[in-house]
Amino acid sequence: MGRYVARRLLQMIPVFLGSTLLIFLMMYALPGDPVRALMGDQAHDPSVVASIRKDLGLDLPLWQQYFNYISGLFQGDFGTEIVSKRPVADIISAAFPVTIRLTLFAFVFTVLVGIGLGVIAGLRPDTLQDRGLLTLTLILISMPSFVLGFLMQYLFAFKLGITEPNVTDSTNFGELLLPAIVLGSLSLAYVARLTRTSMAENLRADYMRTAVAKGLPRRRIVGIHLMRNSLIPVVTFLGTDIGNLMTGAIVTEGIFNVQGVGNAIYEALFRREGATVVGIASLIVLVYLATSLLVDLLYAVLDPRIRYA
């Protein structure tokens, strides 16, 4: 197990470097100049612009700029914004916890409700519950997140008055409930359908008929034999879905005015602040890599036949 984890950690290094390099190149390819954005609409002397670019290291070759950025990143230095002169680490420390809190709330909602609905439908295939789940998931999958967000906001905030339309306190889980439901709705639909399909398929497996023939209690048959084998594909999806929720939170945060990474990335892209975008994206890549490793390790917990040499 230890050798497998060490090998996976070594494999993460080129993936991380390749991802950050790609994002860095994309930011470099965007139109506009952050130095001229710093000077605003006022007339600027080309020699002054060139001097500022030299001070910021923007006159260096692209490969050297990336090398300098990565070197600082491994030392905990995310750089400094050009326009605001604010350290990127301060921006991330203020915005990232908000998005993490919203993402975890949406993830818990997805796991509990999605797997619960999938289990109910999977144990009773081709029944009213099963058809109802199919209809609900089709609606959620076909509806864009911004449409669902404005619809939920209109119903629960403006019509019913149950909650506030915008989030004013990101530490208040009551205010984050509605954005978390909107954020996790699409993932909930996939998790519910995947759980339902996996359980319905495993119900017809030979090992299930053997367990029933041996006279095992139904609770043990469903809870141990059926659930553990059926959750393997669900865990695979949930592992990658954490990163999807974090990137999907950008739209949800815009709808409900949540001051997370979505707002930070939007403002950074508008001002062409590459250090902020690459810094936030680097953390999201790390979350993807960590969750993928965790999912692989959970396979051995769910299925004792899986062993890592």
Side-chain angles (χ1 to χ4, degrees):
M1 176 71 76
R3 189 175 293 179
Y4 172 80
V5 173
R7 187 168 65 250
R8 285 295 305 272
L9 291 175
L10 291 175
Q11 292 173 352
M12 289 180 182
I13 297 176
V15 174
F16 176 77
L17 293 177
S19 302
T20 53
L21 176 60
L22 181 61
I23 298 169
F24 193 88
L25 294 175
M26 292 172 63
M27 288 300 304
Y28 182 81
L30 288 177
D33 189 344
V35 177
R36 296 189 177 183
L38 172 63
M39 304 183 71
D41 297 332
Q42 62 182 356
H44 51 271
D45 188 352
S47 60
V48 175
V49 174
S51 176
I52 296 176
R53 290 179 62 85
K54 184 177 180 179
D55 294 337
L56 296 173
L58 298 178
D59 61 329
L60 298 173
L62 186 58
W63 66 268
Q64 191 170 352
Q65 292 185 42
Y66 176 73
F67 179 78
N68 293 339
Y69 178 79
I70 288 296
S71 300
L73 193 63
F74 282 121
Q75 298 175 15
D77 182 13
F78 287 84
T80 304
E81 284 198 339
I82 297 175
V83 178
S84 65
K85 305 296 184 181
R86 184 182 179 189
V88 176
D90 293 346
I91 298 174
I92 293 177
S93 63
F96 214 74
V98 177
T99 300
I100 289 291
R101 194 178 298 116
L102 177 61
T103 300
L104 291 178
F105 205 170
F107 183 76
V108 172
F109 168 74
T110 299
V111 171
L112 296 180
V113 180
I115 293 180
L117 292 176
V119 169
I120 294 174
L123 292 176
R124 300 175 179 85
D126 300 323
T127 60
L128 181 61
Q129 295 94 324
D130 188 20
R131 296 187 182 93
L133 176 67
L134 176 62
T135 304
L136 175 63
T137 54
L138 285 176
I139 293 174
L140 293 177
I141 291 173
S142 61
M143 184 177 297
S145 59
F146 62 89
V147 175
L148 180 62
F150 285 120
L151 179 62
M152 299 283 280
Q153 195 178 50
Y154 174 76
L155 290 177
F156 292 98
F158 296 109
K159 295 295 290 184
L160 300 179
I162 298 177
T163 183
E164 295 294 328
N166 294 321
V167 175
T168 57
D169 182 9
S170 61
T171 61
N172 187 342
F173 284 96
E175 293 188 10
L176 290 178
L177 178 60
L178 193 59
I181 292 176
V182 173
L183 178 60
S185 294
L186 179 60
S187 298
L188 180 147
Y190 287 121
V191 168
R193 298 195 68 169
L194 189 58
T195 304
R196 180 265 173 202
T197 302
S198 183
M199 293 197 67
E201 180 181 353
N202 284 313
L203 274 175
R204 300 188 294 269
D206 292 337
Y207 72 88
M208 287 297 297
R209 287 191 288 267
T210 302
V212 174
K214 289 170 63 177
L216 295 178
R218 179 173 175 80
R219 178 179 300 178
R220 180 176 178 82
I221 293 174
V222 174
I224 303 298
H225 297 278
L226 182 59
M227 287 291 293
R228 288 182 65 174
N229 288 280
S230 300
L231 287 180
I232 291 179
V234 180
V235 168
T236 304
F237 174 82
L238 289 173
T240 59
D241 191 54
I242 294 181
N244 293 332
L245 289 174
M246 292 187 66
T247 54
I250 296 176
V251 177
T252 307
E253 288 176 359
I255 296 173
F256 293 94
N257 195 31
V258 181
Q259 300 301 311
V261 297
N263 181 66
I265 289 178
Y266 173 78
E267 293 182 354
L269 287 172
F270 182 76
R271 298 193 304 265
R272 204 175 178 271
E273 294 283 0
T276 304
V277 177
V278 178
I280 294 176
S282 300
L283 291 180
I284 295 177
V285 169
L286 288 176
V287 171
Y288 265 110
L289 295 175
T291 52
S292 64
L293 176 59
L294 181 61
V295 167
D296 288 345
L297 297 179
L298 282 176
Y299 287 156
V301 178
L302 294 174
D303 192 344
R305 297 171 297 179
I306 299 177
R307 291 291 180 267
Y308 296 111

